[in-house]
Amino acid sequence: MKKKVGVLVSGRGSNLQALLDACADPSFPAEIALVISNVPGVYALERAANAGVPTLTIPHKGFPSREAFDSEMDKALRAAGIEIVCLAGFMRLLSTGFAEGWRGRMINIHPALLPSFKGLHTHRRAIEAGVKLHGCTVHLVTPELDDGPILVQKAVPVLASDDEDTLAARVLEQEHKAYPEALRLLAEDRVAVEGNRALIRDA
Ligand code: GAR
């Protein structure tokens, strides 16, 4: 049985597209059953609709608190029978309750080699810091921002000629490989967590 996945988005959805493309392979162990956006009208919603995946827009602005917004998302995910949640460019902090409720079953993609460069503007900060390697990380979500056991990382060189945009593009290419790989690991139940470490069992 394929695992049912819910994807949370806020924008253009290129990582969502990478997941949709991976799930189109009949042998992939997961299927995307719901896409939720907190921002109306974003391109990610169109990508989901084009793939025949149900979508829901839940504008966070309509809720009195982060907890109330998260609880609405939680209800929708559970009503759809979702087993794994993927954050794909979802630009909202999560409440502790929501993160705990999906612990071990929710993953995020971050555009840096964690634990370096948590937070925003990761490519600009990597160039400013003078690092020679940069990249992306898919990790299990915990209540702390951009924290949690790491499942997959991919590195790219930082070139002398790079600006924020060229570096971002090089990292994004790797994000689109890393995210389906990580989702496969989780969907195949190959991840065991020991403290901060995710141990991956062989297929
Ligand atoms: C991606 O680069 C993702 O890693 C990043 O936002 C972009 C979304 O692009 N996520 C974060 O910064 C999370 N804090 P996409 O909508 O095309 O997938």
Side-chain angles (χ1 to χ4, degrees):
M1 273 288 276
K2 284 174 185 272
K3 290 269 168 46
K4 286 180 111 178
V5 175
V7 185
L8 309 187
V9 298
S10 303
R12 75 187 157 179
S14 72
N15 278 291
L16 166 66
Q17 189 66 56
L19 296 176
L20 288 167
D21 293 347
C23 290
D25 177 345
S27 70
F28 197 77
E31 62 179 333
I32 299 179
L34 180 62
V35 170
I36 301 179
S37 173
N38 67 313
V39 183
V42 292
Y43 189 49
L45 289 166
E46 210 172 306
R47 294 182 191 268
N50 288 341
V53 172
T55 65
L56 209 53
T57 301
I58 307 181
H60 61 272
K61 286 185 179 146
F63 291 84
S65 66
R66 193 176 297 287
E67 285 72 19
F69 167 69
D70 285 1
S71 137
E72 190 69 20
M73 284 198 303
D74 190 69
K75 261 192 266 171
L77 291 165
R78 291 185 196 278
I82 297 303
E83 300 166 278
I84 294 174
V85 176
C86 292
L87 309 180
F90 183 68
M91 304 308 275
R92 294 283 303 163
L93 295 173
L94 299 173
S95 61
T96 301
F98 186 79
E100 288 295 358
W102 289 94
R103 188 185 275 271
R105 299 189 298 140
M106 177 155 62
I107 53 182
N108 177 47
I109 185 145
H110 182 72
L113 292 173
L114 291 173
S116 292
F117 308 118
K118 296 179 179 184
L120 297 175
H121 311 301
T122 55
H123 308 306
R124 186 196 311 165
R125 287 159 58 213
I127 290 171
E128 282 169 5
V131 297
K132 300 299 184 209
L133 283 176
H134 185 46
C136 62
T137 303
V138 184
H139 64 96
L140 287 163
V141 174
T142 58
E144 300 75 40
L145 177 70
D146 298 332
D147 210 72
I150 291 169
L151 299 182
V152 174
Q153 289 188 304
K154 298 215 180 275
V156 303
V158 180
L159 307 180
S161 57
D162 268 331
D163 60 24
E164 217 177 314
D165 293 340
T166 58
L167 184 55
R170 193 173 309 115
V171 171
L172 193 64
E173 239 177 76
Q174 297 305 312
E175 292 187 41
H176 298 159
K177 295 183 181 147
Y179 217 169
E181 270 181 35
L183 176 56
R184 174 185 285 279
L185 295 178
L186 200 58
E188 289 179 347
D189 291 319
R190 289 166 54 198
V191 179
V193 175
E194 272 183 23
N196 289 328
R197 302 172 72 200
L199 306 177
I200 310 297
R201 282 185 285 270
D202 288 341

